[in-house]
Amino acid sequence: MAALTEVSSNKSFGGQQKVFSHESAELKCTMKFGVFLPPAASGGKVPVIYWLSGLTCTEQNFVTKAGAQKYAAEHGLIIVAPDTSPRGVNIEGEDDSYDFGSGAGFYVDATQDKWQTNYRMYSYITKELPTLINENFPTIPDRQSIMGHSMGGHGALICTLKNPGKYRSVSAFSPICNPVNCPWGQKAFNGYLGADQAVWKTYDACELARQYNGPALDILVDQGKADNFLTQKQLLPENLVEVCSEKKIPITLRMQEDYDHSYFFIASFIEDHIRHHALHLKA
């Protein structure tokens, strides 16, 4: 593991929950990611799930709050949880707001001068990180899935829809489904991608679903009915369901009574999501 520096390691459900850092070529900075290695990984190669976190998060949120290790151990799955954004790249204004800059990389490759050198989270997630993981851990490279929360749910959906066949399955908690039509997405896309909304659409799950032409998908989305961001029209899951219905893309949207946007919500249903991915990864 010459390219990696181990930051921490903890025994969990018979496996190991580790955190590593590395120097990212795409992002031009030091990045961290969490990786859970199930007991099965000590005896051979196993499938991998990538988890993408939301606004303001780091790799630690999922590792410490989601309660996923127990179910990943039971199903024999590696889970990789990267940070959400470049860190410490010293761009003026990167720390000015919670929904843009550090902690809010939005899983795009920025095109605007100020951000384009470092803010390349899409390429980091879909290219650099999987290569690093496959070189250093006992994965089965053609058996990978992806899931995420909020901004990370947006990331999981677009990574799947932009790369037909790359991921065996996709799921999301409270995803930003139609960012070209919500305040979070409009702010991020204008800042990272400029004013051309045709470019914005290349990172929008609804627009990508409308154009999707690839292997059959089985999308699982959980959304809390008490989520404040749902009522603020930041998430717009109904738009994604409408497009998927038109395109005959199978999608299950579960509206969960009284649940909000927090990791209490995620921890309540993470078992279902890991089972969803296990079915496809081991088919």
Side-chain angles (χ1 to χ4, degrees):
M1 296 189 183
L4 303 180
T5 299
E6 187 172 299
V7 176
S8 64
S9 180
N10 300 94
K11 188 82 168 182
S12 181
F13 294 99
Q16 294 286 335
Q17 177 62 62
K18 295 178 178 286
V19 174
F20 290 90
S21 67
H22 73 103
E23 297 303 315
S24 169
E26 284 287 356
L27 308 180
K28 306 294 190 296
C29 68
T30 302
M31 291 293 286
K32 291 180 181 178
F33 64 85
V35 58
F36 177 72
L37 302 171
S42 63
K45 295 185 176 183
V46 297
V48 58
I49 303 174
Y50 289 87
W51 167 271
L52 306 184
S53 289
L55 290 165
T56 76
C57 291
T58 70
E59 80 289 340
Q60 285 296 314
N61 296 73
F62 181 80
V63 166
T64 59
K65 296 180 179 181
Q69 291 88 350
K70 179 179 188 291
Y71 310 113
E74 290 175 356
H75 289 283
L77 302 171
I78 290 172
I79 301 186
V80 177
D83 201 349
T84 58
S85 316
R87 301 288 172 177
V89 294
N90 299 317
I91 298 174
E92 183 183 1
E94 67 182 355
D95 298 325
D96 287 356
S97 59
Y98 83 97
D99 55 358
F100 188 78
S102 57
F106 259 86
Y107 304 103
V108 304
D109 284 350
T111 59
Q112 299 307 289
D113 288 344
K114 191 174 180 180
W115 308 97
Q116 64 182 350
T117 298
N118 302 103
Y119 277 68
R120 296 182 50 80
M121 285 300 296
Y122 172 75
S123 287
Y124 176 72
I125 294 298
T126 59
K127 298 175 184 177
E128 182 178 6
L129 184 61
T131 298
L132 190 70
I133 296 300
N134 292 336
E135 288 176 350
N136 287 278
F137 302 100
T139 64
I140 305 173
D142 66 345
R143 290 183 180 270
Q144 61 180 8
S145 292
I146 193 165
M147 59 181 176
H149 171 231
S150 195
M151 178 184 72
H154 143 77
L157 290 167
I158 66 164
C159 287
T160 301
L161 292 165
K162 286 169 73 69
N163 297 277
K166 186 177 183 70
Y167 303 98
R168 292 289 185 100
S169 53
V170 59
S171 72
F173 292 85
S174 313
I176 302 171
C177 293
N178 193 191
V180 302
N181 287 317
C182 78
W184 276 341
Q186 291 165 352
K187 178 178 179 177
F189 287 1
N190 188 65
Y192 294 135
L193 304 173
D196 186 353
Q197 295 195 15
V199 179
W200 296 10
K201 291 179 179 180
T202 66
Y203 291 104
D204 183 290
C206 288
E207 297 295 335
L208 291 167
R210 190 170 283 115
Q211 302 165 23
Y212 182 77
N213 183 21
L217 294 175
D218 179 12
I219 303 172
L220 171 63
V221 175
D222 269 314
Q223 173 64 60
K225 285 188 176 182
D227 187 331
N228 289 335
F229 299 118
L230 180 67
T231 57
Q232 292 172 20
K233 302 299 183 182
Q234 294 281 20
L235 306 176
L236 303 174
E238 65 277 9
N239 292 6
L240 182 61
V241 170
E242 181 180 354
V243 174
C244 287
S245 178
E246 291 172 0
K247 296 294 293 184
K248 294 181 169 54
I249 297 172
I251 183 170
T252 300
L253 171 63
R254 308 192 308 185
M255 300 297 296
Q256 304 290 3
E257 197 73 39
D258 296 330
Y259 282 92
D260 57 18
H261 200 74
S262 72
Y263 266 83
F264 294 107
F265 166 52
I266 294 168
S268 298
F269 299 102
I270 192 67
E271 180 181 9
D272 293 350
H273 285 243
I274 291 175
R275 186 186 301 116
H276 168 79
H277 294 297
L279 287 171
H280 292 279
L281 288 167
K282 297 187 175 185

